Structure formats: structure tokens, C-alpha cells
Amino acid sequence: MWRWYGRGQARDYIEKKEDYERFGVQEYWLVDPRNEVVLVYVLENSKYRLFSSAEEQDIVRSSVLAGFETNLKEIFAEE
């Protein structure tokens, strides 16, 4: 899971995603705390496709870790 802090948005959305594809990372989570959004990409035929997305208090799930899910309010809870 990668938590994005607003610096290097293009790097996270494009460059890292392409790097992870190239190296065969099966699942890539992009966490955007500014907009309270999580995007989950899965690798299929050497390319990522969007598997799941969630906003605010939705639940997001993994395709790689069977049974793993989390509520976004836990990810974006104020400390």
C-alpha cells in the first residue's frame, strides 16, 4: 500500500504504477488522504486494471490477500 501525500502525484499515479507492473507486483494500492480515496489495482496480463475503489467511509478489499478488507474511516482517521 502506498500512501500519497500530495507530492509527486504523477510519480505515484504513473511512474510507480508502471514500475510495479514491470516487476510483477500483483496488487497496488494508491491511498490519497487529501481526497480520502483508495484505488486498488491488480496485475492481469502484465498490466494493471482497477479492481476496487472506495471513498470516504466505504470498504475496500484486496484481491491478493483473501478475506482482507478495511474501512476507509480506519485509514483516514484523525490522529
Side-chain angles (χ1 to χ4, degrees):
M1 183 184 304
W2 178 257
R3 191 164 178 152
W4 178 66
Y5 288 99
R7 298 179 307 270
Q9 180 179 7
R11 183 168 191 268
D12 292 336
Y13 274 92
I14 299 168
E15 294 173 25
K16 285 184 184 180
K17 189 173 149 203
E18 289 173 353
D19 287 344
Y20 295 160
E21 277 179 339
R22 185 173 55 249
F23 289 106
V25 175
Q26 294 299 305
E27 187 171 83
Y28 175 49
W29 288 45
L30 189 78
V31 179
D32 179 349
R34 179 173 292 148
N35 296 306
E36 295 190 356
V37 172
V38 174
L39 305 172
V40 180
Y41 293 93
V42 294
L43 197 62
E44 288 185 357
N45 300 319
S46 301
K47 288 288 185 189
Y48 279 126
R49 74 164 178 86
L50 185 63
F51 170 75
S52 178
S53 64
E55 298 179 22
E56 298 173 356
Q57 295 186 19
D58 291 341
I59 293 174
V60 66
R61 292 173 177 81
S62 172
S63 74
V64 175
L65 302 171
F68 177 78
E69 65 181 34
T70 188
N71 189 306
L72 265 59
K73 69 180 178 182
E74 294 173 10
I75 294 175
F76 299 123
E78 297 290 325
E79 296 178 10

